[in-house]
Amino acid sequence: MRNAPTILHLDMDAFFAQAEQASKPSLRGKAVVVGGLGPRGVVATASYEARVFGVHSAMPMAQARRLAPNAAYLVPRGAFYRQISDQVMALLRALSPLVEPLSLDEAFVDLEAGEAAWDSESARLAGVRLRADIRAVTGLTGSVGLAASKMLAKIASEQAKPDGLVLIEPGTERSLLAPMPVRTLPGVGPATGDHLRRAGITTVGEMVEAGEDELVRLLGKAHGHALYAMALARDDRPVVAERETKSVSVEDTYDVDIHDRVRVELEVQRLADRCVRRLRGAGLSGRTIVLKVRRYDFSTLTRSETLRGPTDDPAVVREAAARLLDAVDTTGGVRLLGVGVSGLADFTQEDLFAQAAEVRAAEVRAEGPEHETSEEPAVAEVVPAEHRWRPGLDVRHAEFGHGWVQGSGLGRVTVRFETPESEVGRVRTFRTDDPDLEPAQPLPLVRRRPDGASAVDTAGRVPTVGPRPGNGR
């Protein structure tokens, strides 16, 4: 393990919820919960104000509503979050060629590889500058951990939350880890934690005291050796710049179980098309088509079919998904469907295109000349009214300008008209079919001046360096 604390871990603070608060002045300082709003939805992110009530990510949305009935509940705006993430990742890549993204809002950076830091002081300064740059470019805050290894850098960023910076000095690692719960270490989940607790081991220091042989006896050779090394603050994992994409998939959970087999088949076809759009957007193709079905009793079935070569042809993926569905009994009802493609490559197998074309041509010939037609035009997907005006989505009105949906129902939609730079806006209600109201694209959180500089003034807000009490993700 290196001696200098030049591994940086960045974690944006309550990312989705913070982005929504920055985008909507009326929600700043308020409890905000982002996630699926249906009866089976789960929380993706909760603002720190919502966490006071016990709301946290992965919690069922129904439970969150009971704990915080007055919070704002919004659907995720994935494309909006990705735009902000791209800005943040660009700042990280300006620091070093070795950036390892873990998600939209989290990444490791090897500062030494980019010659951005070489000792504690230069690493601290790099972290302070990064946090200021993120604030200036996105208007949001992120927490930074700095240490000599990935494990410790992530622990440091957890201690820094929210909106802080913690640097773990070399030589202090073991004393820092000793009182921490065993769940602090990577690879210690609920099952392993319970197993250790039953053996009387609840802290990292107690793991060290138990010794390597005892951990191997309790957890097995590979797991025991690995966790003992981490308990001693040994972590030699490098920052890996490129994390290979294993698969591309999409799935939907339905508020009401689907019993109609025809509807299930249509949903699978729609998901296959969405999956291919995402596949093509990433410039990829794949050989293995995967179908996921979660039935009424929560049992989950996964079926797959491997093709002769990689494809990104929607017809090929649809046909494979349909064949897989044929082997699945959906009589009792379906609560979730998913279609994925794995075995990814950055090229396609031409004969698969030909194969799909031949199949379609044969079908047309079999139907007769009256069914022959040119290539079908793209048909826009019909979006139900209740999904068109979902809480949190952006809209524009011909008279009142930009706003966002607060809620809809009974043929009405309520909109608050405000922008990231405005004061708290006024609320108005319209018919859902009002011709003057239409969906809109999100506005940027930070307006750029004509000279290219940010309109956010960071001079009056100096980033705090050091741990803060009461932190949470």
Side-chain angles (χ1 to χ4, degrees):
M1 189 174 76
R2 67 183 71 197
N3 293 322
T6 54
I7 299 296
L8 180 148
H9 181 258
L10 169 73
D11 199 352
M12 300 296 289
D13 301 318
F15 182 45
F16 296 174
Q18 185 188 179
E20 296 297 346
Q21 289 174 318
S23 178
K24 302 170 172 65
S26 58
L27 297 184
R28 292 170 190 169
K30 305 289 181 62
V32 175
V33 182
V34 180
L37 302 187
R40 294 169 177 165
V42 297
V43 175
T45 308
S47 70
Y48 288 99
E49 295 85 356
R51 296 179 193 193
V52 171
F53 299 99
V55 181
H56 57 78
S57 60
M59 171 182 285
M61 191 61 77
Q63 182 181 356
R65 289 184 184 275
R66 290 193 296 270
L67 292 172
N70 297 320
Y73 289 87
L74 310 176
V75 296
R77 295 187 291 165
F80 177 53
Y81 307 146
R82 186 168 293 280
Q83 289 175 359
I84 301 171
S85 174
D86 289 344
Q87 293 177 307
V88 172
M89 296 301 165
L91 291 172
L92 298 183
R93 293 188 177 98
L95 286 175
S96 172
L98 292 184
V99 176
E100 182 177 343
L102 303 179
S103 62
L104 289 178
D105 62 337
E106 184 180 3
F108 287 110
V109 183
D110 188 330
L111 297 175
E112 190 174 12
E115 299 182 350
W118 49 90
D119 59 13
S120 295
E121 185 57 28
S122 58
R124 187 185 298 275
L125 289 174
V128 169
R129 286 195 300 269
L130 173 64
R131 293 180 59 247
D133 289 344
I134 290 173
R135 176 79 182 191
V137 170
T138 70
L140 305 182
T141 64
S143 295
V144 166
L146 292 155
S149 70
K150 290 167 69 171
M151 176 188 73
L152 292 167
K154 184 170 175 61
I155 289 172
S157 71
E158 289 288 340
Q159 290 186 320
K161 282 186 168 293
D163 190 19
L165 182 151
V166 167
L167 183 147
I168 299 177
E169 290 283 1
T172 66
E173 298 94 345
R174 287 186 59 177
S175 60
L176 175 77
L177 286 176
M180 292 184 174
V182 294
R183 291 287 303 276
T184 303
L185 299 181
V188 181
T192 301
D194 286 343
H195 194 51
L196 291 170
R197 179 181 54 79
R198 287 194 296 270
I201 300 172
T202 60
T203 68
V204 176
E206 288 170 348
M207 291 178 71
V208 175
E209 291 175 7
E212 187 170 18
D213 291 342
E214 177 65 6
L215 292 180
V216 168
R217 187 186 70 80
L218 290 170
L219 306 174
K221 187 173 181 180
H223 204 188
H225 285 311
L227 288 184
Y228 184 72
M230 288 188 176
L232 293 174
R234 297 172 185 162
D235 178 20
D236 296 325
R237 294 174 298 160
V239 175
V240 180
E242 297 297 331
R243 297 174 63 87
E244 182 182 359
T245 302
K246 303 294 185 183
S247 64
V248 173
S249 63
V250 296
E251 62 181 43
D252 278 342
T253 301
Y254 304 99
D255 294 344
V256 179
D257 290 350
I258 302 176
H259 292 83
D260 182 0
R261 180 70 179 194
V262 174
R263 168 84 187 283
V264 172
E265 292 170 350
L266 290 173
E267 287 294 312
V268 167
Q269 298 297 291
R270 183 179 62 83
L271 289 166
D273 288 341
R274 276 177 54 196
C275 183
V276 169
R277 286 198 296 271
R278 184 172 294 184
L279 194 70
R280 288 182 167 181
L284 297 169
S285 60
R287 297 182 66 236
T288 301
I289 315 304
V290 181
L291 175 71
K292 179 180 177 181
V293 180
R294 181 166 298 149
R295 299 190 292 191
Y296 68 97
D297 59 357
F298 285 88
S299 61
T300 302
L301 303 176
T302 303
R303 300 288 184 266
S304 64
E305 175 181 317
T306 299
L307 307 172
R308 293 197 305 271
T311 184
D312 65 354
D313 187 323
V316 172
V317 176
R318 282 197 301 267
E319 291 160 10
R323 287 193 296 272
L324 294 169
L325 181 62
D326 286 341
V328 177
D329 179 12
T330 61
T331 306
V334 170
R335 59 186 291 119
L336 177 147
L337 290 168
V339 174
V341 177
S342 60
L344 302 182
D346 57 2
F347 64 93
T348 57
Q349 193 79 18
E350 296 298 333
D351 63 342
L352 287 174
F353 287 105
Q355 172 190 339
E358 289 168 5
V359 170
R360 288 193 292 270
E363 290 173 347
V364 169
R365 288 194 297 271
E367 291 171 353
E370 67 273 20
H371 294 288
E372 292 183 10
T373 181
S374 60
E375 184 177 351
E376 294 182 352
V379 178
E381 186 176 343
V382 177
V383 181
E386 62 269 23
H387 293 302
R388 182 179 175 87
W389 307 119
R390 291 181 294 174
L393 296 185
D394 297 85
V395 296
R396 176 166 290 280
H397 190 274
E399 179 181 353
F400 301 109
H402 191 94
W404 59 278
V405 177
Q406 282 200 324
S408 64
L410 301 176
R412 294 288 186 269
V413 54
T414 301
V415 178
R416 185 180 289 275
F417 290 96
E418 59 187 4
T419 70
E421 297 177 338
S422 74
E423 300 295 325
V424 173
R426 296 186 61 183
V427 175
R428 298 181 182 273
T429 299
F430 309 91
R431 299 192 320 272
T432 54
D433 60 354
D434 190 318
D436 289 336
L437 188 68
E438 61 182 4
Q441 294 297 315
L443 298 176
L445 297 181
V446 176
R447 177 171 49 87
R448 311 302 295 183
R449 297 201 303 254
D451 61 3
S454 166
V456 172
D457 178 14
T458 59
R461 193 176 190 282
V462 180
T464 301
V465 179
R468 295 185 172 201
N471 293 332
R473 278 186 62 82

